[in-house]
């Protein structure tokens, strides 16, 4: 079982799939002899993307027992607030086997890069939202001490 949390909100359904992209910051340089060389650099910020389904009805057969479910507008308003606030949130993904044994978890501070609300007739009153998140690194201020 998967449980997804963004900040203090548990998503009503775990996404069918999610993508974790690890961006490398390597730099390819051209050498004077016509060759190439790859300058290796530390990895960049990770990107996470997934689509979530927001069911309208609380008795949807897709829902897990024990998860508090709100109407889609609640989640859409929370996303809009997050986008307007420009602050990071913690993304937590709990993974466990059906017997309750924990597999491994993900906990990462993320920024909301963009999201898209997708409505279609075949969804009925349910709403689908595509999210793209990026790992957030706290600002580190360094003070230079010394002479030039």
């Amino acid at each position: 079982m998967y449980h997804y949390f963004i900040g203090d909100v548990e998503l009503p359904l775990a996404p069918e799939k999610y993508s974790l992209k690890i961006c490398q910051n390597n730099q390819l340089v051209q050498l004077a002899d016509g060759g190439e060389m790859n300058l290796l650099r530390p990895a960049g910020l990770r990107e996470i993307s997934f689509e979530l389904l927001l069911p309208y009805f609380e008795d949807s057969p897709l829902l897990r027992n024990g998860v508090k479910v709100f109407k889609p507008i609640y989640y859409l308003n929370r996303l809009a607030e997050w986008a307007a606030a420009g602050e990071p949130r913690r993304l937590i993904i709990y993974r466990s086997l059906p017997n309750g044994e924990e597999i491994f978890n993900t906990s990462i501070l993320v920024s909301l890069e963009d999201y898209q609300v997708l409505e279609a007739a075949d969804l009925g009153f349910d709403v689908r939202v595509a999210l793209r998140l990026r790992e957030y690194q706290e600002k580190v201020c360094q003070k230079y001490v010394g002479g030039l």
Side-chain angles (χ1 to χ4, degrees):
M1 292 190 68
Y2 287 73
H3 293 270
Y4 280 65
F5 294 84
I6 298 178
D8 61 350
V9 176
E10 182 173 8
L11 301 181
L13 293 169
E16 293 177 15
K17 60 183 177 179
Y18 86 103
S19 170
L20 174 66
K21 181 180 176 184
I22 300 165
C23 305
Q24 290 299 121
N25 286 328
N26 298 336
Q27 183 179 8
L28 188 64
V29 294
Q30 301 294 323
L31 301 176
D33 66 359
E36 296 178 331
M37 187 169 120
N38 196 4
L39 299 177
L40 302 180
R41 301 208 172 161
L45 300 174
R46 298 176 284 181
E47 285 189 9
I48 300 154
S49 57
F50 56 87
E51 284 188 9
L52 61 107
L53 181 65
L54 303 174
Y56 185 82
F57 296 105
E58 293 180 14
D59 60 351
S60 171
L62 302 171
L63 296 172
R64 300 180 309 269
N65 291 333
V67 176
K68 178 70 174 149
V69 178
F70 301 96
K71 301 287 185 210
I73 192 66
Y74 170 81
Y75 300 100
L76 295 175
N77 285 340
R78 295 297 299 262
L79 284 170
E81 289 168 8
W82 183 16
E87 298 172 345
R89 299 280 190 272
R90 180 137 326 258
L91 171 67
I92 299 172
I93 305 171
Y94 288 117
R95 299 169 184 85
S96 62
L97 297 173
N99 67 4
E101 180 184 344
E102 196 174 282
I103 302 172
F104 70 96
N105 299 319
T106 298
S107 177
I108 181 174
L109 203 55
V110 295
S111 62
L112 178 60
E113 292 303 304
D114 57 58
Y115 70 99
Q116 182 178 9
V117 179
L118 310 164
E119 293 189 63
D122 64 335
L123 292 174
F125 298 104
D126 297 345
V127 175
R128 188 172 293 277
V129 179
L131 293 170
R132 190 169 61 90
L133 312 173
R134 183 170 289 136
E135 179 178 17
Y136 179 81
Q137 291 288 341
E138 295 287 344
K139 294 177 185 151
V140 178
C141 295
Q142 296 180 350
K143 182 177 179 182
Y144 176 75
V145 180
L148 294 175

